[in-house]
Amino acid sequence: MKKYILSIALLVATIAGAKAQAMLGVKAGINFSKINTDNLSESSVTGYQAGLFARVGNAWYLQPEVYLGSRGGKFEGSSSGNTTTANGKVTFTTLNVPLLLGRKLLSAGSINVRAMAGPVYSYNLSKNNDVKTVIADFGNYKNSTLGFQAGAGVDIGNITADLRYEGGLTKINESYGQRANLWALSIGFKIL
């Protein structure tokens, strides 16, 4: 892990040393998340996100972020006939740290259209588990996961908007193949 942090720091320092364009901003938005589960029916829950982002570079850029968010999922399933084995909803408050590599696709005056992708680390700060279940270890969730984000965005002056998909690379619960994924729409404002 130390090698990855050192590599990221070196990359950021190299870009900054090349006198690349840099900016800082705030962002907030909504997301629609779901936790995929083996052998159960899942549905989405609506959550939020709010935090900071930086962008270093011009045509190609590096965009580290840190934000609080909420995510989760609803579950319903049965093992035989009408015997319910899981029913309810779980939500998490998370600290998320994505590191995105992006590219401007179109630039016309103060309007930019962008695409970006990269890894995201998520840490569960709190959990609200309302799932009623007879399944052992169903609510045994990990505190941290790795995932990826990919999406597109548009900048109009100091305002920025992003639409992204986030997929889980690690399982939030190994026993039942649970992976968190979500769609997020955010609006930001460049402050520096």
Side-chain angles (χ1 to χ4, degrees):
M1 185 66 158
K2 289 180 184 178
K3 287 192 272 183
Y4 296 119
I5 293 171
L6 183 59
S7 298
I8 291 167
L10 184 59
L11 179 62
V12 170
T14 301
I15 292 172
K19 297 188 184 343
Q21 184 179 352
M23 65 130 109
L24 180 66
V26 294
K27 64 178 260 180
I30 62 170
N31 63 51
F32 304 96
S33 63
K34 183 165 63 167
I35 299 175
N36 294 333
T37 304
D38 294 341
N39 302 322
L40 289 177
S41 174
E42 320 94 6
S43 59
S44 297
V45 298
T46 303
Y48 68 88
Q49 57 178 271
L52 301 170
F53 71 94
R55 201 175 291 157
V56 180
N58 197 4
W60 284 96
Y61 62 88
L62 189 63
Q63 183 167 316
E65 299 181 352
V66 61
Y67 58 88
L68 286 176
S70 69
R71 64 178 68 193
K74 294 180 185 176
F75 307 101
E76 187 173 342
S78 61
S79 58
S80 62
N82 292 332
T83 306
T84 300
T85 57
N87 186 359
K89 176 171 104 169
V90 63
T91 56
F92 303 97
T93 300
T94 58
L95 177 66
N96 304 287
V97 184
L99 182 60
L100 306 170
L101 179 62
R103 171 85 173 139
K104 285 184 184 174
L105 303 175
L106 175 69
S107 186
S110 64
I111 299 174
N112 296 309
V113 177
R114 307 170 280 105
M116 77 287 287
V120 59
Y121 170 78
S122 297
Y123 183 80
N124 292 333
L125 299 171
S126 68
K127 172 180 70 170
N128 182 8
N129 190 349
D130 292 337
V131 178
K132 295 162 188 61
T133 181
V134 295
I135 302 173
D137 296 332
F138 186 79
N140 187 18
Y141 296 109
K142 292 181 181 178
N143 284 331
S144 61
T145 59
L146 289 174
F148 68 91
Q149 291 186 352
V154 64
D155 301 325
I156 303 172
N158 285 336
I159 303 210
T160 182
D162 287 351
L163 175 64
R164 296 186 204 158
Y165 175 77
E166 181 177 319
L169 294 174
T170 58
K171 295 176 183 172
I172 195 165
N173 183 335
E174 292 287 339
S175 300
Y176 299 97
Q178 294 180 303
R179 291 182 197 268
N181 58 67
L182 60 86
W183 283 95
L185 177 63
S186 65
I187 304 292
F189 186 77
K190 303 171 193 174
I191 54 178
L192 293 176

